[in-house]
Amino acid sequence: NQPMVDRATIEKAAKVRLSDAGKSVELTRQTDGTWRVPSYYDMPADFSKLSGFVGNLTDAKIQRLVTTNAERIARLEFKDTKIELLDSAGQAQFTVTLGKNAETGGGRFVRFGSETRAYLANLSAWLDPEAKNWANAELTNVKPDDIAKIEIPFAEGGPITVSRAKKEDAWTADKTPAGQKVKADKIASVLSSVGTIRFSDTNALDDANVASAKANLREFKLTTFDNKTVSVALGRKPEEKKLKPSTPSADGKSGPASLGTLADLAKKEEKKDDAKPGEEKKDDKPLAPEFETIPAGPVFAFISHSETSAPINVLMQKRAFQIAEYTFTGLPQK
C-alpha cells in the first residue's frame, strides 16, 4: 500500500519521458513552470492532459510483491513500456517499466529501475508516445463576455460590424435594416466557433494547401472591451471540377480533337437529315465531356493578436494549423 512514486520526486522532475511500442516522447518543464514538447516543434504541452497523467501516477499504489524469479518475471511481458522522470541534466530520477495487466483482480505488473523484482500496482494510465498528441491544441480561447465588437466577413455586401457598449447590452450592427435587430444567438454561435478554435494537425508553412488556403480566406476580427484585437482568418483550397481525359477515338485522337472540325460536325448533321422516311436517324453527336470533382482542401486557421508578445503570434511562425471542417462550414454565409 505504498505510493508507486513519491510526490516530491514528481515535483522535482524537469522532464517526463514516456515510451511504448518503439516510440518515445519527452515533455520538458520551463523556468516559468509551463511544459513544452520539444519533439513537436517545441510547442506548449497540453497541461490538463499532463496533469491528469501525473494524477494517475501519484494515486497509484503498490499492492504486493509478485515475484523475484527471473523466469516468472519474463512471463509478465516487461518490454519497452516505460515511465521516466528526469532531472534537468537528463539523468533518470525514477524509472518504472510496465508489464501486462493482471488477469484477475485488476492492476498492472511493474518493475522499478533495473530491479529483479516484479510488483502489482493499481496503476491505470495510458502511455501516449505520440508527440503531437501532447501539444496543446488550443489556438483561441476568447471569452464571449469580453467581446465588444465583431467584424464578420461575407462574400456579398462586405463585412458587417456588430458591437455593444457593455456586455449586458444588445448587439447592434452598422448595416441593420430599419425595423430589424441583430439575432443574439447567431452572434453567440460565431463567437463560439472562432473564439474556441483547436487544431487537429499541422503543416509546413510552405505547403501548397496552405498557400491555397491563404488565397481564399474569411477573416473575423474580435475586439475586446480593453481594446485588444484577435484576428481569425479561416480558409481552404476550394473544390475543383476538371475535365476528365477522354478515350481516344478510332483515329487515335482524344480530348476536343476527337470531336472533329466544325465541317465534320456539319456533315454528320446532313447525314441525319437525309435519312429516308421510316429509317432511324443515327445519332452521331459526340458524347458530352465528363468532369471529375477534386474535393476541397483542409481548413487552416491563421490567427494574430494585437499584442505582439502574445504566444499565438509566435506559434503562427512555426507551423500552419489545420482545424475541423465543421468549424468553417458552420459559419454564417449571408
Side-chain angles (χ1 to χ4, degrees), residues 209-230:
N209 277 324
V210 176
S212 295
K214 285 184 175 180
N216 296 276
L217 290 177
R218 293 189 70 191
E219 184 176 11
F220 297 76
K221 292 183 180 178
L222 312 178
T223 304
T224 62
F225 285 110
D226 56 358
N227 211 31
K228 295 173 183 175
T229 302
V230 179

Side-chain angles (χ1 to χ4, degrees), residues 9 52 87 109 128 190 195 221 258 261 285 287 308-309:
T9 303
D87 60 19
F109 299 112
D128 187 350
V190 170
K221 292 183 180 178
S258 66
T261 64
K285 284 185 179 180
L287 293 174
T308 54
S309 60

